[in-house]
Every structure is written in structure tokens, then in C-alpha cells.
Amino acid sequence: MKWTTGLVLTAVLGLSALTGCSAGSGGGQDGAGPAAGSAPAAAAKAGAFAVITHANSGDAFWDVVKNGAEAAGKRYGVTVSYQGDGDPARQSQLIDQAVSQKVDGIVVSMANPDALKEAVGKAVAAKIPVITINSGGDRSREFGAITHVGQSEDVAGRGAGEKLKAEGVTKLLCVIHEAGNVGLDQRCKGATEGMGGTVERLQVDVGNLVDATSKIKARLQSDPSLNGVLTLNPAVAIAARDAIADSGSKARLGTFDLSADVVTAIKDGEVLFAVDQQQYLQGWLPITFLVLYRDNLNTVGGGLPVNTGPGFVTKDNAEQVAKLAESGTR
């Protein structure tokens, strides 16, 4: 049972992540060291792991992934270097650099799998274990990664579509913020299946939120029958919130992924929900898995993806999540 296995692993290891740095957890004086009797020699060896994502500069979503990876590195006593570049060619170059540096493991997001195939292949050929995260789960095994950590974008999209349908949305604007990202395309397809109404796509640039607001506003003003907006990124969600207000539209807004601003907007009733893929785990778990693989040849998931979501943050639970988002772990 792929789904159950992923959720169980997420729950167990996610709990470990949140408790690993708490007072009294054992290990180092700052609480970040390994507990006595923990996994085999996890902290006895130094190591260097590279996390290379397709994140553009200033994307708050990936800051949380970085926080998770670095916290895991501290927890296991290994070095974690994080780099991101939204250009697939430059992301491939970063992977090549990590291979040449002979790191002990590579974590990579694959928004554009075909563009990264050669670079990931070089890492695998060099016998460097690779774990994929976030996007590209469908190609992960084919490329030789030992597992994928993320959420099923199709399932998450259907869930979002069903929630919007329940709110009376019949014509939806699905806002894509990264051209060519296969995961975003899957989210919009899933939303179309879940909602059952008309879904129109709009391309914006996550690196230019002022322009994103302007484009969403213009589309809502030109078609008053659009009564729903689904964004696929928390920063774009705030841009869409402003666009809805500026345009005078009554469109209902849902989004993927969390930030402190999105949680506040949910509490204020400006955003209906956020699909939460718990991206902190997409940083924490791969480092954990790579250490386990290095020290004990464990391959978590049995060749199947390890799911980190989806969950939903709504007005009912936003207050509980708010403090965690402010601390950079949600």
C-alpha cells in the first residue's frame, strides 16, 4: 500500500524531526545530536551531502526545505550544502559540481526531469546515492534514484478541486508560476478532475509578483464568470489575494503550500485552504535516508515514493500551524 506506507513513514520520521531538536532528546548539548542507541553509527562518520533544487531566489517555500535539510545535517553530524536554480541547465551544472566534489549523497528536485537526466545519470554512475524530492517522482526510479520524497501531485490536485467545488466554484483560474514544471501541470490536471467544471490556466512568473498580481487581476476583470482561483505557490497566493481584492471579484481562493502570510490569510478568511505537502520533511527526510543508506544500506519506501502530503490547512487549524510557519518549519 504505497499511500499508507508513505504516510506511516512520514509520521514516524516527521515526529523524529520535530522532537530531534527538542530539549531532553539526548545527544549533543544543544539537543541536536543523536540520541543514545540510535541508528547505526549515524553520527560517528562525517559526511557531505548536496541538496540541489529548482528553486528561484526568494521563494519562501524552498527556504523551509533548506531549513529541514540543514536541521537534519546538524542532527546527524554531517555537512549539508543547499543550492537552488530555476534554470534546468544551471541546476544540472550544480549537480555536476557535486559529483566532481565526490559528495556522499545528492538530493535533487526534478521539475524538468529530461533536462536533468544526464547529470543525475553521472551521479548514479559515480556511485553517489541520489534521492529526488518534490517534483519528478514518476521518473525517479527510472533515473536510478534510491527513492523519492514528495507528494502525489495528481491526488493533491484532485483534493483541491473537490474543496473548491464544495465552495461553489464552477470556473477556475489555475495559476502556474514555473513554465515546464511537470508537477504544476499535474496539480492543474488533478484540480480539473476534482472540480469537474471549467479550469483555465494562467502563466505567471514567481520571480515577478507585481506582474503576477497584474495578470491575475486583468484576467478576473475580463471574465467575471471566473469564480475561483487556485495558486500553486504561497507567494503567488498572496499576489492572487491582492488581485481579487483590486479587481472587485468575488472569486474564492485556494492554494498549494504554506507561508506565514498564507496562514494569516486563511485565518482572515481571504484564502480558503492551503494544500500542505510539509516541505520541511522534503529537506529532513532525504538527509535521514542518505545517512541510513550510507551506514546501513537502508532504502526507505521499497522503491516507491515516500509521501509527505497532502494535508489541508483551513481556518479550523490555521491557528495551530501559524507559530510553526513563523519559525520556518511549516
Side-chain angles (χ1 to χ4, degrees):
M1 293 293 289
K2 162 185 169 183
W3 182 246
T4 302
T5 300
L7 287 180
V8 168
L9 284 166
T10 293
V12 172
L13 293 168
L15 180 61
S16 172
L18 294 175
T19 59
C21 295
S22 63
S25 62
Q29 292 180 345
D30 61 356
S38 60
K45 303 175 184 176
F49 300 88
V51 181
I52 302 165
T53 75
H54 65 277
N56 286 300
S57 176
D59 191 331
F61 173 89
W62 289 101
D63 290 342
V64 179
V65 176
K66 179 173 180 285
N67 290 343
E70 291 179 343
K74 185 177 180 182
R75 173 68 173 82
Y76 297 110
V78 299
T79 299
V80 173
S81 64
Y82 176 94
Q83 298 180 84
D85 200 308
D87 183 319
R90 289 197 289 270
Q91 190 186 4
S92 293
Q93 291 172 358
L94 293 174
I95 297 170
D96 289 341
Q97 289 173 12
V99 172
S100 66
Q101 292 166 356
K102 299 180 180 179
V103 297
D104 296 296
I106 295 176
V107 180
V108 58
S109 65
M110 298 202 303
N112 294 275
D114 288 334
L116 303 183
K117 185 174 183 178
E118 182 176 349
V120 172
K122 289 179 182 176
V124 173
K127 300 189 182 306
I128 296 175
V130 175
I131 291 181
T132 59
I133 61 171
N134 187 259
S135 296
D138 293 344
R139 308 290 300 279
S140 177
R141 194 171 187 177
E142 171 192 342
F143 286 11
I146 59 176
T147 194
H148 177 81
V149 179
Q151 73 176 359
S152 166
E153 304 293 10
D154 291 326
V155 171
R158 282 198 296 274
E162 290 167 357
K163 282 189 172 293
L164 290 165
K165 181 180 180 180
E167 293 291 334
V169 174
T170 54
K171 189 171 185 179
L172 178 69
L173 194 62
C174 190
V175 184
I176 295 178
H177 59 273
E178 291 172 352
N181 185 328
V182 294
L184 303 185
D185 182 61
Q186 290 169 336
R187 290 177 180 182
C188 287
K189 283 183 179 177
T192 303
E193 295 171 3
M195 201 185 78
T198 301
V199 178
E200 177 184 316
R201 301 185 185 197
L202 178 68
Q203 180 72 55
V204 301
D205 180 1
V206 70
N208 188 345
L209 294 174
V210 173
D211 184 65
T213 300
S214 178
K215 284 184 175 177
I216 297 169
K217 176 183 175 182
R219 191 67 196 100
L220 292 174
Q221 288 179 326
S222 65
D223 186 357
S225 67
L226 282 164
N227 59 355
V229 177
L230 179 63
T231 58
L232 312 179
N233 172 278
V236 180
I238 299 306
R241 177 202 63 184
D242 296 342
I244 291 170
D246 293 347
S247 66
S249 169
K250 301 297 183 185
R252 310 303 302 274
L253 173 62
T255 189
F256 277 70
D257 301 329
L258 287 176
S259 69
D261 288 341
V262 165
V263 175
T264 299
I266 292 172
K267 289 165 60 180
D268 293 342
E270 298 171 330
V271 175
L272 288 172
F273 63 82
V275 180
D276 182 14
Q277 61 176 300
Q278 303 184 100
Q279 73 269 36
Y280 186 84
L281 297 179
Q282 294 178 13
W284 175 279
L285 292 180
I287 299 301
T288 301
F289 294 170
L290 285 172
V291 170
L292 286 169
Y293 181 79
R294 182 196 66 181
D295 295 340
N296 207 40
L297 288 180
N298 292 122
T299 53
V300 182
L304 298 176
V306 176
N307 290 303
T308 61
F312 287 90
V313 176
T314 67
K315 203 167 187 177
D316 292 337
N317 59 0
E319 187 67 43
Q320 294 174 293
V321 176
K323 290 183 179 179
L324 298 171
E326 290 174 357
S327 67
T329 60
R330 292 295 295 270

